[in-house]
Amino acid sequence: MTRHDGFPDDFIWGCATASYQIEGATQEDGRGVSIWDTFAHTPGKVAGGDTGDIACDSYHRYLEDIALLRELNANAYRFSTAWPRIQPEGSGAPNQKGLDYYDRVVDALLESGIEPWMQLYHWDLPQALEDRGGWVNRETAYRFLDFAQIMFRHFGDRIRHFSSLNEPWCVAFLGYLQGVQAPGKTDRRLAHRAVHHLLLAHGLAQRAYRESGLPGAFGIVLNPARQRPATARPEDIEAADRAAIESTRIWLDPLYGRGYPELFMQLFGADIPMEEGDLDIIASPPDFLGINYYFEQAIKAVPVDGQHPYGCALAETWHPKTAMGWDIVPEGMLRLLRYIAGTWPVSELYVTENGVAFDDVPDSQGIVHDANRIAYLRSHLHACRDAIAEGIPLKGYFLWSLMDNFEWAYGYQKRFGIVRIDPVTLHRIPKKSFYYYRDVIAGFGL
Ligand code: FCB
């Protein structure tokens, strides 16, 4: 069927999830403890005391999840692998039962004609590595390399798209500065050390993948931002540019061989545990860049102080908000894609996450009539289509998320799924947005 909706015939239509958010079975088949087990089980860290102990039980119900993807006729599924299932202590020989689980998932996807996109790391670091400093410790980058190589050797024959890290900004700044995600530390210097080791981990794994001679593509998934200035005053424009240093440029500049941004080095260079050769390891453009987009922020200039090292702060906005309190700004997605494609020589872009949480109210049949989610998806897909029309190399879109799941520090109360999970039975019940997305994938327009 030829499409008439502005998307190319070979556009990738997918859904995304992450291991700790959906799998459950945290104590089964030799899985080790992750930092998210520890964090969620620490009173006061996660809303409602929720944990990922059971989550969507995808460890046992993955065939139901894959059946849903088939019903959508999705052609790809981005899921992540729990490092502590493979290496319970974060190092050493792989746990066969952990590999077996992902074999079952990968093979079932392939049998269904759905391409598995393997996200190696989506935040569930083995606790044993955190006990030695986690991402603040350089050793973690080398342990990640070992883990990645296990995965390449075992899955490289079947996986054509590997990505290294999911949203390293969140790992570093939410995990080690703001403390709202595992491991819950609050020290800017630690966050900066983590930045460097995360980039190093990506670089080491990417180099190993290329050297392996495997035929697939290797990428990284970021949540970059292009904050807009609150006004057209030069000081706000400059402040917005400075805001993008931490969210975006400290990641993309080193990856594309430009080193860390100058202002970042001036302010925080002393925090970076740079060793000779590190920037060369990092400076190798990924085959594809994954972009997670949820919202856009407005920035105003403020005096530099300890809280505002870049002299910028969030400005008030007018947009309607999601249940997360995030502004709904579909045009911000187009602005971001333009900025990325216009600033770095990216070869292939994918929206690896986009979606929305609303306070869904199921009807008496358990069905959610989520016209608000449909409107969100439609407007953001319009932005994708506009990006393609402008020549931006956007090749695919992964909706976050296939189903309601453990939304990190917000627990189960924030629902991003196009499939509802019954909180008691864990039955999967497609929302109306599920059928909307099915029709989009089928080519019936937005
Ligand atoms: C992203 C995360 C993903 C999910 C969405 C809502 O930052 O990558 O796991 O929590 O936000």
Side-chain angles (χ1 to χ4, degrees), residues 18 51 54 66 106 125 244 253 263 288 305 338 406 419 425 437:
T51 71
I54 298 172
I66 294 169
V106 167
L125 187 74
D253 280 355
L263 182 60
F288 66 93
D305 61 26
R338 266 186 205 140
F406 176 79
V419 173
T425 62
Y437 193 43

Side-chain angles (χ1 to χ4, degrees), residues 153-385:
R153 273 196 293 272
H154 194 84
F155 296 99
D157 58 333
R158 287 160 290 162
I159 298 291
R160 292 301 165 110
H161 289 88
F162 281 101
S163 47
S164 56
L165 309 171
N166 175 72
E167 301 191 354
W169 179 87
C170 295
V171 176
F173 291 96
L174 299 182
Y176 292 92
L177 170 62
Q178 297 184 27
V180 295
Q181 294 195 345
K185 303 265 165 69
T186 51
D187 181 333
R188 184 173 267 284
R189 275 171 317 163
L190 299 184
H192 290 152
R193 291 177 65 86
V195 167
H196 189 66
H197 295 143
L198 286 157
L199 282 167
L200 187 64
H202 162 79
L204 289 166
Q206 180 167 278
R207 196 170 65 177
Y209 187 72
R210 299 234 162 103
E211 284 170 0
S212 73
L214 286 164
F218 195 86
I220 186 169
V221 170
L222 303 176
N223 57 325
R226 179 47 167 161
Q227 299 84 349
R228 68 179 187 277
T231 75
R233 271 198 296 269
E235 59 265 38
D236 286 338
I237 293 175
E238 285 161 21
D241 286 345
R242 291 195 300 275
I245 292 178
E246 189 177 284
S247 60
T248 311
R249 290 190 42 211
I250 58 171
W251 309 103
L252 286 167
D253 280 355
L255 289 174
Y256 287 90
R258 301 175 188 177
Y260 287 110
E262 213 177 288
L263 182 60
F264 176 73
M265 287 311 277
Q266 265 169 38
L267 295 172
F268 302 116
D271 295 349
I272 298 298
M274 181 79 73
E275 292 191 12
E276 216 187 306
D278 283 4
L279 283 178
D280 293 329
I281 295 170
I282 296 167
S284 167
D287 297 320
F288 66 93
L289 185 63
I291 291 184
N292 295 352
Y293 176 84
Y294 290 93
F295 56 83
E296 183 189 71
Q297 294 172 325
I299 292 288
K300 62 184 177 192
V302 295
V304 171
D305 61 26
Q307 288 299 317
H308 306 97
Y310 295 98
C312 57
L314 293 179
E316 205 46 59
T317 58
W318 55 272
H319 299 81
K321 293 187 192 305
T322 73
M324 299 294 283
W326 296 346
D327 281 5
I328 301 176
V329 198
E331 60 278 20
M333 187 172 191
L334 179 57
R335 286 193 277 259
L336 175 67
L337 292 169
R338 266 186 205 140
Y339 169 64
I340 302 281
T343 312
W344 294 275
V346 290
S347 40
E348 281 189 8
L349 287 177
Y350 294 87
V351 170
T352 33
E353 287 180 25
N354 173 244
V356 64
F358 285 118
D359 293 323
D360 295 335
V361 183
D363 68 11
S364 57
Q365 316 295 314
I367 308 233
V368 176
H369 299 261
D370 51 348
N372 46 10
R373 185 170 287 103
I374 291 170
Y376 180 98
L377 296 172
R378 176 183 281 129
S379 59
H380 287 75
L381 287 166
H382 269 287
C384 292
R385 193 174 69 181

Side-chain angles (χ1 to χ4, degrees), residues 323-324 355-362 368 370 373 400-401 403-407 410-423 431:
M324 299 294 283
V356 64
F358 285 118
D359 293 323
D360 295 335
V361 183
V368 176
D370 51 348
R373 185 170 287 103
W400 184 275
S401 180
M403 56 202 159
D404 293 343
N405 57 48
F406 176 79
E407 182 45 40
Y410 299 89
Y412 295 100
Q413 295 316 309
K414 299 294 180 230
R415 302 182 171 89
F416 279 89
I418 52 171
V419 173
R420 175 170 172 263
I421 303 275
D422 182 281
K431 303 177 191 177

